[in-house]
């Protein structure tokens, strides 16, 4: 049978991607589309970029706009959601906590309520390893007691808990992904992080090696780690994107609620990031040792066993892949997507 356009449209169900114009959101949107799914991106463009969405269906607006979310869900026949939209600057969250509680927590709660009304019952949520704070044991498992060291992390934990209650009291089912340190750029060099809006280590290292900053500051070299600098779990953003596809598969197949770490399981120090950058770029990275940053743990890396067991996911890209793609992206996009 040849279906009419309208009949075909009625059959197509889109995924709603909130925050899909951001760094992780745009790269994940691309991976979700590559998996054969159609999407609609919702983003305020406060921090995201229209260009990063490319030719994906796009609506500019806020997750807290209940009527808009309902309209988008109905027009696009949405049956599942990947929820990235949030503010994520840790320092700013300590200076302006209200902005974070309002946008992240209240906004998400309004989104969940609209999804309920629209009959959308599957959600993948973008959380953070920041909920572990200073883990007493590494690698850290999902069982560790949360110990948020910032308002930003607390907002993510509050949203996790809100979602937990929606999944207890309504037909909602969720996968919560606790990202470790998302890093790198798309392999084709077209999507990446805007270093003008990032406080994270790798964009700062790239700025220094590319001559856009005099030096990168190394926040402390007296931690109880092998070389004294902070140890983290850097995960390639495309590997992270594929974890979302696996989570959507899990929920579509009727899978149960999950909270999973998304990391490599390996710790890398600040000095090792600098060394890898020197290896990949063939240039010296100017750096300067400064004081520790308040609240920074010595080491935080994932036990990634659960996500491998439950979703069959494991990372495929190396630290050098992260550095190579980040270097290529920042070199060609010093103004992010405005370049
Ligand atoms: C990594 C390492 C720093 C900058 C934060 C959030 C987390 C997540 C990712 C998401 C640490 C050191 C850093 C610099 C440095 N946020 N460093 N010089 O702190 O692990 O995690 O970002 O949305 O929730 O807490 O990441 O990249 O800031 O730091 O020496 O200029 O690099 O001390 O050891 P972090 P980071």
């Amino acid at each position: 049978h040849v279906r009419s356009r309208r009949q075909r449209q009625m059959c197509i169900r889109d995924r709603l991607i909130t925050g899909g114009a951001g760094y992780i959101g745009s790269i994940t949107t691309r991976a979700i589309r590559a998996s054969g799914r159609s999407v609609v991106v919702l983003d305020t463009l406060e921090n995201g970029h229209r260009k990063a969405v490319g030719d994906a269906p796009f609506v500019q607006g806020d997750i807290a706009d209940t009527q808009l979310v309902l309209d988008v869900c109905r027009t696009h026949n949405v049956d599942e959601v990947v929820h990235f939209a949030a503010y994520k600057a840790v320092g700013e969250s300590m200076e302006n906590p209200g902005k974070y509680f309002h946008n992240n927590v209240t906004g998400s709660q309004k989104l969940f309520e609209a999804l309920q009304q629209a009959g959308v019952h599957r959600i993948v949520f973008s959380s953070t390893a920041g909920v572990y704070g200073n883990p007493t044991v590494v690698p850290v498992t999902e069982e560790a007691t949360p110990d948020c060291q910032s308002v930003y992390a607390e907002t993510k934990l509050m949203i996790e808990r809100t979602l937990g209650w929606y999944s207890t009291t309504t037909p909602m089912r969720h996968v919560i992904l606790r990202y470790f340190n998302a890093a790198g750029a798309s392999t084709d060099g077209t999507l990446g992080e805007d270093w003008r809006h990032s406080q994270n280590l790798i964009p700062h290292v790239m700025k220094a090696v590319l001559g856009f900053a005099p030096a990168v500051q190394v926040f402390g070299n007296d931690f109880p780690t092998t070389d004294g600098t902070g140890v983290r779990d850097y995960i390639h953003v495309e590997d992270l994107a594929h974890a979302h596809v696996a989570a959507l598969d899990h929920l579509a197949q009727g899978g149960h609620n999950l909270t999973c770490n998304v990391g490599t399981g390996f710790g890398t120090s600040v000095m090792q990031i600098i060394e890898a950058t020197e290896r990949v770029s063939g240039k010296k990275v100017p750096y300067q040792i400064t004081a520790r940053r308040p609240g920074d743990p010595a080491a935080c890396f994932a036990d990634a066993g659960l996500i491998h067991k439950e979703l069959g996911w494991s990372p495929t890209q190396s630290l050098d892949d992260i550095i190579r793609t980040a270097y290529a992206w920042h070199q060609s996009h010093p103004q992010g997507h405005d370049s």
Side-chain angles (χ1 to χ4, degrees):
H1 297 280
V2 179
R3 284 182 181 150
S4 73
R5 191 156 168 243
R6 178 161 167 73
Q7 277 174 321
R8 197 173 59 81
Q9 276 175 346
M10 290 302 290
C11 296
I12 294 177
R13 310 212 61 161
D14 291 338
R15 280 89 219 148
L16 172 62
I17 321 280
T18 77
Y23 165 49
I24 304 174
S26 62
I27 291 171
T28 304
T29 298
R30 191 183 269 183
I32 291 172
R33 294 177 83 196
S35 76
R37 296 164 163 98
S38 55
V39 303
V40 54
V41 169
L42 177 67
D43 198 298
T44 61
L45 298 184
E46 273 170 277
N47 295 314
H49 293 269
R50 181 64 187 85
K51 252 196 200 171
V53 182
D55 62 0
F58 173 72
V59 176
Q60 184 170 1
D62 198 319
I63 53 169
D65 185 342
T66 304
Q67 196 52 53
L68 177 68
V69 173
L70 283 172
D71 288 347
V72 170
C73 288
R74 284 180 188 139
T75 313
H76 288 265
N77 209 11
V78 168
D79 63 348
E80 50 193 12
V81 179
V82 185
H83 176 32
F84 294 97
Y87 293 144
K88 61 161 192 174
V90 173
E92 184 191 48
S93 78
M94 303 300 279
E95 283 152 22
N96 195 350
K99 177 176 174 180
Y100 279 70
F101 288 121
H102 179 74
N103 186 65
N104 295 3
V105 183
T106 308
S108 295
Q109 197 270 319
K110 286 189 168 171
L111 171 70
F112 302 155
E113 204 54 38
L115 296 177
Q116 231 12 77
Q117 278 186 51
V120 179
H121 299 311
R122 304 202 294 271
I123 184 163
V124 179
F125 173 58
S126 162
S127 188
T128 175
V131 300
Y132 299 120
N134 295 294
T136 46
V137 178
V138 281
V140 62
T141 72
E142 295 81 356
E143 303 297 311
T145 307
D147 173 30
C148 297
Q149 298 291 314
S150 71
V151 170
Y152 163 73
E154 187 72 43
T155 64
K156 289 287 181 175
L157 185 64
M158 289 168 81
I159 302 163
E160 285 192 6
R161 291 182 188 273
T162 306
L163 205 45
W165 284 110
Y166 272 90
S167 298
T168 302
T169 58
T170 76
M172 181 83 97
R173 282 179 300 119
H174 65 255
V175 175
I176 292 166
L177 297 177
R178 289 179 175 164
Y179 312 157
F180 282 67
N181 295 64
S186 68
T187 305
D188 71 354
T190 61
L191 294 174
E193 191 170 11
D194 189 336
W195 63 19
R196 296 171 305 172
H197 301 301
S198 174
Q199 295 309 314
N200 294 125
L201 175 66
I202 292 179
H204 275 108
V205 171
M206 295 302 149
K207 253 187 214 174
V209 76
L210 287 166
F212 287 82
V216 57
Q217 297 191 344
V218 174
F219 296 148
N221 65 350
D222 57 352
F223 286 103
T225 60
T226 42
D227 63 20
T229 63
V231 167
R232 298 289 185 275
D233 189 337
Y234 296 91
I235 173 80
H236 195 289
V237 63
E238 285 178 338
D239 279 329
L240 188 52
H242 289 125
H244 295 75
V245 176
L248 287 173
D249 286 342
H250 170 85
L251 291 174
Q253 289 155 12
H256 54 272
N257 298 324
L258 277 175
T259 300
C260 293
N261 289 339
V262 195
T264 64
F266 297 102
T268 303
S269 73
V270 175
M271 284 315 298
Q272 286 171 327
I273 293 288
I274 290 174
E275 285 156 21
T277 305
E278 294 185 337
R279 191 165 59 234
V280 164
S281 69
K283 295 185 204 153
K284 280 280 165 207
V285 176
Y287 68 88
Q288 186 187 14
I289 309 288
T290 61
R292 288 186 187 190
R293 191 170 58 178
D296 257 357
C300 186
F301 53 97
D303 181 320
L306 184 69
I307 189 165
H308 182 67
K309 177 171 158 271
E310 293 283 354
L311 302 183
W313 175 92
S314 46
T316 61
Q317 305 216 40
S318 66
L319 179 62
D320 280 17
D321 294 329
I322 291 176
I323 301 297
R324 205 175 301 114
T325 54
Y327 186 75
W329 159 260
H330 288 295
Q331 192 172 34
S332 55
H333 295 82
Q335 312 287 322
H337 286 282
D338 298 328
S339 305

mmCIF file of all heavy atoms in Angstrom, residues 130-171:
data_model
loop_
_atom_site.group_PDB
_atom_site.id
_atom_site.type_symbol
_atom_site.label_atom_id
_atom_site.label_comp_id
_atom_site.label_asym_id
_atom_site.label_seq_id
_atom_site.Cartn_x
_atom_site.Cartn_y
_atom_site.Cartn_z
ATOM 1 N N GLY A 130 29.382 14.806 38.974
ATOM 2 C CA GLY A 130 29.484 15.814 40.022
ATOM 3 C C GLY A 130 28.672 15.453 41.266
ATOM 4 O O GLY A 130 28.985 15.925 42.359
ATOM 5 N N VAL A 131 27.663 14.599 41.116
ATOM 6 C CA VAL A 131 26.865 14.205 42.294
ATOM 7 C C VAL A 131 27.714 13.430 43.306
ATOM 8 O O VAL A 131 27.359 13.368 44.478
ATOM 9 C CB VAL A 131 25.600 13.370 41.927
ATOM 10 C CG1 VAL A 131 24.663 14.164 41.019
ATOM 11 C CG2 VAL A 131 25.954 12.036 41.301
ATOM 12 N N TYR A 132 28.839 12.859 42.873
ATOM 13 C CA TYR A 132 29.690 12.103 43.807
ATOM 14 C C TYR A 132 30.606 13.004 44.628
ATOM 15 O O TYR A 132 31.154 12.564 45.642
ATOM 16 C CB TYR A 132 30.545 11.074 43.059
ATOM 17 C CG TYR A 132 29.730 10.037 42.307
ATOM 18 C CD1 TYR A 132 29.846 9.887 40.938
ATOM 19 C CD2 TYR A 132 28.828 9.219 42.990
ATOM 20 C CE1 TYR A 132 29.096 8.949 40.246
ATOM 21 C CE2 TYR A 132 28.074 8.278 42.302
ATOM 22 C CZ TYR A 132 28.212 8.152 40.936
ATOM 23 O OH TYR A 132 27.454 7.225 40.259
ATOM 24 N N GLY A 133 30.808 14.238 44.166
ATOM 25 C CA GLY A 133 31.670 15.164 44.903
ATOM 26 C C GLY A 133 33.075 14.612 45.048
ATOM 27 O O GLY A 133 33.745 14.318 44.055
ATOM 28 N N ASN A 134 33.502 14.457 46.306
ATOM 29 C CA ASN A 134 34.819 13.880 46.587
ATOM 30 C C ASN A 134 34.632 12.408 46.922
ATOM 31 O O ASN A 134 34.450 12.059 48.090
ATOM 32 C CB ASN A 134 35.463 14.567 47.789
ATOM 33 C CG ASN A 134 35.760 16.019 47.479
ATOM 34 O OD1 ASN A 134 36.585 16.326 46.641
ATOM 35 N ND2 ASN A 134 35.054 16.911 48.161
ATOM 36 N N PRO A 135 34.665 11.511 45.962
ATOM 37 C CA PRO A 135 34.363 10.112 46.282
ATOM 38 C C PRO A 135 35.417 9.516 47.219
ATOM 39 O O PRO A 135 36.603 9.782 47.062
ATOM 40 C CB PRO A 135 34.376 9.418 44.918
ATOM 41 C CG PRO A 135 35.080 10.330 43.990
ATOM 42 C CD PRO A 135 34.994 11.709 44.544
ATOM 43 N N THR A 136 34.955 8.744 48.195
ATOM 44 C CA THR A 136 35.898 8.144 49.145
ATOM 45 C C THR A 136 36.582 6.934 48.523
ATOM 46 O O THR A 136 37.677 6.567 48.923
ATOM 47 C CB THR A 136 35.187 7.750 50.456
ATOM 48 O OG1 THR A 136 33.973 7.073 50.105
ATOM 49 C CG2 THR A 136 34.849 8.958 51.292
ATOM 50 N N VAL A 137 35.924 6.314 47.554
ATOM 51 C CA VAL A 137 36.504 5.161 46.869
ATOM 52 C C VAL A 137 36.438 5.410 45.366
ATOM 53 O O VAL A 137 35.406 5.826 44.852
ATOM 54 C CB VAL A 137 35.689 3.871 47.196
ATOM 55 C CG1 VAL A 137 36.261 2.671 46.451
ATOM 56 C CG2 VAL A 137 35.661 3.614 48.697
ATOM 57 N N VAL A 138 37.559 5.192 44.657
ATOM 58 C CA VAL A 138 37.537 5.201 43.186
ATOM 59 C C VAL A 138 38.099 3.872 42.693
ATOM 60 O O VAL A 138 38.981 3.324 43.350
ATOM 61 C CB VAL A 138 38.350 6.374 42.577
ATOM 62 C CG1 VAL A 138 37.583 7.660 42.626
ATOM 63 C CG2 VAL A 138 39.725 6.492 43.207
ATOM 64 N N PRO A 139 37.623 3.347 41.545
ATOM 65 C CA PRO A 139 36.522 3.877 40.750
ATOM 66 C C PRO A 139 35.216 3.929 41.529
ATOM 67 O O PRO A 139 34.974 3.083 42.384
ATOM 68 C CB PRO A 139 36.433 2.902 39.567
ATOM 69 C CG PRO A 139 37.128 1.660 40.004
ATOM 70 C CD PRO A 139 38.152 2.067 41.001
ATOM 71 N N VAL A 140 34.399 4.935 41.212
ATOM 72 C CA VAL A 140 33.176 5.166 41.975
ATOM 73 C C VAL A 140 31.999 4.445 41.292
ATOM 74 O O VAL A 140 31.856 4.484 40.071
ATOM 75 C CB VAL A 140 32.931 6.688 42.151
ATOM 76 C CG1 VAL A 140 32.729 7.406 40.830
ATOM 77 C CG2 VAL A 140 31.755 6.969 43.079
ATOM 78 N N THR A 141 31.213 3.748 42.099
ATOM 79 C CA THR A 141 30.028 3.063 41.559
ATOM 80 C C THR A 141 28.790 3.921 41.806
ATOM 81 O O THR A 141 28.817 4.860 42.604
ATOM 82 C CB THR A 141 29.781 1.693 42.229
ATOM 83 O OG1 THR A 141 29.318 1.933 43.555
ATOM 84 C CG2 THR A 141 31.034 0.837 42.246
ATOM 85 N N GLU A 142 27.708 3.541 41.154
ATOM 86 C CA GLU A 142 26.441 4.266 41.280
ATOM 87 C C GLU A 142 25.876 4.149 42.693
ATOM 88 O O GLU A 142 24.981 4.910 43.074
ATOM 89 C CB GLU A 142 25.412 3.741 40.274
ATOM 90 C CG GLU A 142 25.769 3.977 38.810
ATOM 91 C CD GLU A 142 26.753 2.966 38.222
ATOM 92 O OE1 GLU A 142 27.238 2.082 38.973
ATOM 93 O OE2 GLU A 142 27.038 3.059 37.013
ATOM 94 N N GLU A 143 26.398 3.192 43.468
ATOM 95 C CA GLU A 143 25.923 2.983 44.842
ATOM 96 C C GLU A 143 26.500 4.004 45.817
ATOM 97 O O GLU A 143 26.011 4.126 46.949
ATOM 98 C CB GLU A 143 26.337 1.585 45.344
ATOM 99 C CG GLU A 143 25.846 0.432 44.482
ATOM 100 C CD GLU A 143 24.331 0.370 44.455
ATOM 101 O OE1 GLU A 143 23.736 0.427 45.537
ATOM 102 O OE2 GLU A 143 23.760 0.317 43.348
ATOM 103 N N ALA A 144 27.531 4.706 45.412
ATOM 104 C CA ALA A 144 28.177 5.666 46.320
ATOM 105 C C ALA A 144 27.157 6.717 46.773
ATOM 106 O O ALA A 144 26.275 7.109 46.008
ATOM 107 C CB ALA A 144 29.342 6.353 45.613
ATOM 108 N N THR A 145 27.302 7.143 48.015
ATOM 109 C CA THR A 145 26.390 8.162 48.540
ATOM 110 C C THR A 145 26.688 9.502 47.876
ATOM 111 O O THR A 145 27.842 9.939 47.882
ATOM 112 C CB THR A 145 26.583 8.297 50.065
ATOM 113 O OG1 THR A 145 26.453 6.996 50.628
ATOM 114 C CG2 THR A 145 25.575 9.240 50.685
ATOM 115 N N PRO A 146 25.673 10.149 47.303
ATOM 116 C CA PRO A 146 25.924 11.461 46.678
ATOM 117 C C PRO A 146 26.485 12.463 47.686
ATOM 118 O O PRO A 146 26.161 12.413 48.874
ATOM 119 C CB PRO A 146 24.538 11.887 46.200
ATOM 120 C CG PRO A 146 23.754 10.642 46.076
ATOM 121 C CD PRO A 146 24.277 9.721 47.146
ATOM 122 N N ASP A 147 27.332 13.346 47.200
ATOM 123 C CA ASP A 147 27.992 14.324 48.063
ATOM 124 C C ASP A 147 28.291 15.559 47.203
ATOM 125 O O ASP A 147 29.438 15.841 46.881
ATOM 126 C CB ASP A 147 29.284 13.683 48.607
ATOM 127 C CG ASP A 147 30.137 14.657 49.387
ATOM 128 O OD1 ASP A 147 29.581 15.594 49.994
ATOM 129 O OD2 ASP A 147 31.378 14.500 49.368
ATOM 130 N N CYS A 148 27.210 16.256 46.821
ATOM 131 C CA CYS A 148 27.358 17.366 45.879
ATOM 132 C C CYS A 148 28.211 18.473 46.478
ATOM 133 O O CYS A 148 28.019 18.861 47.626
ATOM 134 C CB CYS A 148 25.988 17.924 45.496
ATOM 135 S SG CYS A 148 24.977 16.705 44.643
ATOM 136 N N GLN A 149 29.131 19.004 45.665
ATOM 137 C CA GLN A 149 29.997 20.095 46.112
ATOM 138 C C GLN A 149 29.640 21.415 45.430
ATOM 139 O O GLN A 149 30.369 22.389 45.566
ATOM 140 C CB GLN A 149 31.463 19.744 45.810
ATOM 141 C CG GLN A 149 31.973 18.510 46.520
ATOM 142 C CD GLN A 149 32.107 18.718 48.019
ATOM 143 O OE1 GLN A 149 32.637 19.738 48.459
ATOM 144 N NE2 GLN A 149 31.612 17.770 48.796
ATOM 145 N N SER A 150 28.542 21.403 44.675
ATOM 146 C CA SER A 150 28.131 22.649 44.020
ATOM 147 C C SER A 150 26.619 22.649 43.862
ATOM 148 O O SER A 150 25.975 21.589 43.849
ATOM 149 C CB SER A 150 28.777 22.785 42.644
ATOM 150 O OG SER A 150 28.214 21.851 41.741
ATOM 151 N N VAL A 151 26.085 23.854 43.717
ATOM 152 C CA VAL A 151 24.646 23.990 43.444
ATOM 153 C C VAL A 151 24.322 23.297 42.121
ATOM 154 O O VAL A 151 23.305 22.621 41.992
ATOM 155 C CB VAL A 151 24.239 25.476 43.416
ATOM 156 C CG1 VAL A 151 22.818 25.648 42.898
ATOM 157 C CG2 VAL A 151 24.378 26.072 44.820
ATOM 158 N N TYR A 152 25.207 23.460 41.143
ATOM 159 C CA TYR A 152 24.982 22.800 39.845
ATOM 160 C C TYR A 152 24.747 21.294 40.039
ATOM 161 O O TYR A 152 23.748 20.743 39.554
ATOM 162 C CB TYR A 152 26.191 23.036 38.915
ATOM 163 C CG TYR A 152 26.202 22.067 37.774
ATOM 164 C CD1 TYR A 152 25.286 22.192 36.732
ATOM 165 C CD2 TYR A 152 27.084 20.980 37.757
ATOM 166 C CE1 TYR A 152 25.265 21.264 35.699
ATOM 167 C CE2 TYR A 152 27.068 20.058 36.739
ATOM 168 C CZ TYR A 152 26.152 20.205 35.713
ATOM 169 O OH TYR A 152 26.120 19.279 34.705
ATOM 170 N N ALA A 153 25.666 20.632 40.734
ATOM 171 C CA ALA A 153 25.539 19.178 40.942
ATOM 172 C C ALA A 153 24.264 18.863 41.718
ATOM 173 O O ALA A 153 23.557 17.892 41.416
ATOM 174 C CB ALA A 153 26.769 18.641 41.672
ATOM 175 N N GLU A 154 23.971 19.710 42.726
ATOM 176 C CA GLU A 154 22.766 19.487 43.533
ATOM 177 C C GLU A 154 21.510 19.555 42.660
ATOM 178 O O GLU A 154 20.570 18.781 42.839
ATOM 179 C CB GLU A 154 22.696 20.541 44.653
ATOM 180 C CG GLU A 154 21.586 20.311 45.657
ATOM 181 C CD GLU A 154 21.845 19.112 46.586
ATOM 182 O OE1 GLU A 154 22.993 18.964 47.072
ATOM 183 O OE2 GLU A 154 20.916 18.330 46.818
ATOM 184 N N THR A 155 21.498 20.494 41.690
ATOM 185 C CA THR A 155 20.304 20.586 40.826
ATOM 186 C C THR A 155 20.141 19.299 40.018
ATOM 187 O O THR A 155 19.026 18.808 39.841
ATOM 188 C CB THR A 155 20.345 21.801 39.859
ATOM 189 O OG1 THR A 155 21.418 21.683 38.931
ATOM 190 C CG2 THR A 155 20.423 23.106 40.603
ATOM 191 N N LYS A 156 21.241 18.733 39.573
ATOM 192 C CA LYS A 156 21.154 17.488 38.794
ATOM 193 C C LYS A 156 20.638 16.347 39.683
ATOM 194 O O LYS A 156 19.817 15.529 39.256
ATOM 195 C CB LYS A 156 22.516 17.140 38.190
ATOM 196 C CG LYS A 156 22.936 18.066 37.064
ATOM 197 C CD LYS A 156 22.116 17.793 35.792
ATOM 198 C CE LYS A 156 22.504 18.680 34.634
ATOM 199 N NZ LYS A 156 21.805 18.354 33.383
ATOM 200 N N LEU A 157 21.122 16.301 40.924
ATOM 201 C CA LEU A 157 20.659 15.260 41.848
ATOM 202 C C LEU A 157 19.172 15.444 42.165
ATOM 203 O O LEU A 157 18.406 14.473 42.232
ATOM 204 C CB LEU A 157 21.497 15.285 43.129
ATOM 205 C CG LEU A 157 21.194 14.182 44.135
ATOM 206 C CD1 LEU A 157 21.516 12.799 43.547
ATOM 207 C CD2 LEU A 157 22.012 14.387 45.417
ATOM 208 N N MET A 158 18.756 16.699 42.336
ATOM 209 C CA MET A 158 17.341 16.967 42.608
ATOM 210 C C MET A 158 16.463 16.512 41.435
ATOM 211 O O MET A 158 15.373 15.963 41.626
ATOM 212 C CB MET A 158 17.128 18.457 42.905
ATOM 213 C CG MET A 158 17.695 18.870 44.253
ATOM 214 S SD MET A 158 17.771 20.663 44.468
ATOM 215 C CE MET A 158 16.097 21.019 44.937
ATOM 216 N N ILE A 159 16.957 16.741 40.214
ATOM 217 C CA ILE A 159 16.194 16.309 39.041
ATOM 218 C C ILE A 159 16.155 14.775 38.980
ATOM 219 O O ILE A 159 15.111 14.186 38.689
ATOM 220 C CB ILE A 159 16.775 16.902 37.740
ATOM 221 C CG1 ILE A 159 16.781 18.433 37.796
ATOM 222 C CG2 ILE A 159 15.984 16.413 36.525
ATOM 223 C CD1 ILE A 159 17.697 19.099 36.765
ATOM 224 N N GLU A 160 17.285 14.130 39.296
ATOM 225 C CA GLU A 160 17.302 12.659 39.336
ATOM 226 C C GLU A 160 16.208 12.147 40.280
ATOM 227 O O GLU A 160 15.471 11.217 39.972
ATOM 228 C CB GLU A 160 18.644 12.134 39.867
ATOM 229 C CG GLU A 160 19.805 12.213 38.915
ATOM 230 C CD GLU A 160 21.009 11.403 39.421
ATOM 231 O OE1 GLU A 160 20.893 10.696 40.448
ATOM 232 O OE2 GLU A 160 22.079 11.484 38.782
ATOM 233 N N ARG A 161 16.131 12.788 41.451
ATOM 234 C CA ARG A 161 15.178 12.325 42.465
ATOM 235 C C ARG A 161 13.737 12.615 42.039
ATOM 236 O O ARG A 161 12.837 11.805 42.261
ATOM 237 C CB ARG A 161 15.476 12.967 43.820
ATOM 238 C CG ARG A 161 16.774 12.463 44.427
ATOM 239 C CD ARG A 161 16.999 13.095 45.777
ATOM 240 N NE ARG A 161 18.298 12.792 46.325
ATOM 241 C CZ ARG A 161 18.583 11.713 47.052
ATOM 242 N NH1 ARG A 161 17.663 10.825 47.314
ATOM 243 N NH2 ARG A 161 19.808 11.523 47.520
ATOM 244 N N THR A 162 13.542 13.765 41.413
ATOM 245 C CA THR A 162 12.208 14.114 40.907
ATOM 246 C C THR A 162 11.757 13.066 39.897
ATOM 247 O O THR A 162 10.631 12.551 39.959
ATOM 248 C CB THR A 162 12.237 15.517 40.256
ATOM 249 O OG1 THR A 162 12.776 16.445 41.201
ATOM 250 C CG2 THR A 162 10.849 15.960 39.834
ATOM 251 N N LEU A 163 12.672 12.734 39.007
ATOM 252 C CA LEU A 163 12.385 11.736 37.983
ATOM 253 C C LEU A 163 12.064 10.382 38.627
ATOM 254 O O LEU A 163 11.159 9.661 38.196
ATOM 255 C CB LEU A 163 13.624 11.628 37.097
ATOM 256 C CG LEU A 163 13.508 11.142 35.677
ATOM 257 C CD1 LEU A 163 12.343 11.792 34.950
ATOM 258 C CD2 LEU A 163 14.831 11.430 34.949
ATOM 259 N N GLY A 164 12.820 10.075 39.675
ATOM 260 C CA GLY A 164 12.571 8.825 40.406
ATOM 261 C C GLY A 164 11.142 8.755 40.914
ATOM 262 O O GLY A 164 10.464 7.725 40.793
ATOM 263 N N TRP A 165 10.641 9.877 41.422
ATOM 264 C CA TRP A 165 9.258 9.895 41.931
ATOM 265 C C TRP A 165 8.237 9.834 40.803
ATOM 266 O O TRP A 165 7.204 9.194 40.933
ATOM 267 C CB TRP A 165 9.034 11.099 42.843
ATOM 268 C CG TRP A 165 9.655 10.870 44.187
ATOM 269 C CD1 TRP A 165 10.746 11.494 44.715
ATOM 270 C CD2 TRP A 165 9.256 9.893 45.154
ATOM 271 N NE1 TRP A 165 11.052 10.978 45.944
ATOM 272 C CE2 TRP A 165 10.149 9.998 46.251
ATOM 273 C CE3 TRP A 165 8.240 8.938 45.226
ATOM 274 C CZ2 TRP A 165 10.055 9.193 47.386
ATOM 275 C CZ3 TRP A 165 8.141 8.133 46.361
ATOM 276 C CH2 TRP A 165 9.031 8.263 47.410
ATOM 277 N N TYR A 166 8.530 10.511 39.679
ATOM 278 C CA TYR A 166 7.615 10.387 38.529
ATOM 279 C C TYR A 166 7.554 8.933 38.070
ATOM 280 O O TYR A 166 6.482 8.428 37.717
ATOM 281 C CB TYR A 166 8.038 11.318 37.381
ATOM 282 C CG TYR A 166 7.431 12.700 37.511
ATOM 283 C CD1 TYR A 166 8.092 13.708 38.204
ATOM 284 C CD2 TYR A 166 6.180 12.978 36.979
ATOM 285 C CE1 TYR A 166 7.515 14.966 38.354
ATOM 286 C CE2 TYR A 166 5.595 14.230 37.120
ATOM 287 C CZ TYR A 166 6.266 15.219 37.818
ATOM 288 O OH TYR A 166 5.692 16.447 37.967
ATOM 289 N N SER A 167 8.690 8.262 38.088
ATOM 290 C CA SER A 167 8.714 6.869 37.622
ATOM 291 C C SER A 167 8.049 5.932 38.633
ATOM 292 O O SER A 167 7.636 4.827 38.279
ATOM 293 C CB SER A 167 10.150 6.430 37.345
ATOM 294 O OG SER A 167 10.701 7.231 36.327
ATOM 295 N N THR A 168 7.967 6.360 39.888
ATOM 296 C CA THR A 168 7.278 5.561 40.911
ATOM 297 C C THR A 168 5.761 5.756 40.821
ATOM 298 O O THR A 168 4.995 4.816 41.028
ATOM 299 C CB THR A 168 7.760 5.983 42.325
ATOM 300 O OG1 THR A 168 9.172 5.786 42.370
ATOM 301 C CG2 THR A 168 7.092 5.178 43.429
ATOM 302 N N THR A 169 5.349 6.975 40.518
ATOM 303 C CA THR A 169 3.925 7.309 40.646
ATOM 304 C C THR A 169 3.173 7.400 39.320
ATOM 305 O O THR A 169 1.966 7.570 39.316
ATOM 306 C CB THR A 169 3.784 8.668 41.379
ATOM 307 O OG1 THR A 169 4.504 9.652 40.620
ATOM 308 C CG2 THR A 169 4.332 8.611 42.785
ATOM 309 N N THR A 170 3.910 7.345 38.201
ATOM 310 C CA THR A 170 3.283 7.453 36.874
ATOM 311 C C THR A 170 3.903 6.374 35.971
ATOM 312 O O THR A 170 4.853 5.706 36.382
ATOM 313 C CB THR A 170 3.541 8.848 36.241
ATOM 314 O OG1 THR A 170 4.895 8.893 35.764
ATOM 315 C CG2 THR A 170 3.301 9.975 37.224
ATOM 316 N N PRO A 171 3.427 6.235 34.729
ATOM 317 C CA PRO A 171 4.030 5.218 33.836
ATOM 318 C C PRO A 171 5.436 5.581 33.320
ATOM 319 O O PRO A 171 6.008 4.837 32.541
ATOM 320 C CB PRO A 171 3.040 5.157 32.655
ATOM 321 C CG PRO A 171 1.796 5.823 33.129
ATOM 322 C CD PRO A 171 2.215 6.833 34.139
#
